[in-house]
Amino acid sequence: MTRVWQWNRPVTVREVLEDLQQERSIAYTTVMTVMDNLHQKGWVRREVDGRAYRYTAVSTRAAYSAALMNEAWSLSDNPAAALVAFFGMMSAEQREALQDAVRMVSPNPAESAPGNPAEPTAGAAGDDAPADDATPESGR
């Protein structure tokens, strides 16, 4: 999967084989079997290209990693403790990446701050809420 994710394009068994052979000796049939297993498990899709298949990743490496983390967290009998232990294992760079990610999915702090004019508090003087008799009712 690493090779398929790295290239981010459809690949053949031969391409993966040639790349792996730069690092170690490996048989064509071994790579073919692994690619077929990945297809059977739904990790890659394949299309016929002449006498070969071209394999494409079904999801990104990031999505796969996120699914693994979510599965591990959901299997814990104490999810909060699992998160604390996980965060404790993180490097400074990983904690910084986590903080960046939280900022990306959190609402804009300026928009959600208490007392912000964009979000008036209930019953505040001068709020623009309609009077009870001005609320539309069905059928009218």
Side-chain angles (χ1 to χ4, degrees), residues 73-104:
W73 185 48
S74 66
L75 294 175
S76 173
D77 60 345
N78 188 340
L83 282 174
V84 169
F86 179 66
F87 296 155
M89 295 177 196
M90 293 178 143
S91 68
E93 293 81 21
Q94 290 170 323
R95 283 192 299 275
E96 187 175 321
L98 175 63
Q99 289 172 340
D100 291 342
V102 169
R103 278 192 291 274
M104 283 191 256

Side-chain angles (χ1 to χ4, degrees), residues 47-117:
E47 297 177 9
V48 176
D49 184 14
R51 293 178 48 193
Y53 286 113
R54 287 209 172 266
Y55 295 86
T56 307
V58 169
S59 72
T60 65
R61 184 178 209 143
Y64 171 70
S65 296
L68 281 179
M69 289 187 283
N70 187 53
E71 181 180 353
W73 185 48
S74 66
L75 294 175
S76 173
D77 60 345
N78 188 340
L83 282 174
V84 169
F86 179 66
F87 296 155
M89 295 177 196
M90 293 178 143
S91 68
E93 293 81 21
Q94 290 170 323
R95 283 192 299 275
E96 187 175 321
L98 175 63
Q99 289 172 340
D100 291 342
V102 169
R103 278 192 291 274
M104 283 191 256
V105 297
S106 295
N108 184 340
E111 291 176 5
S112 61
N116 184 333

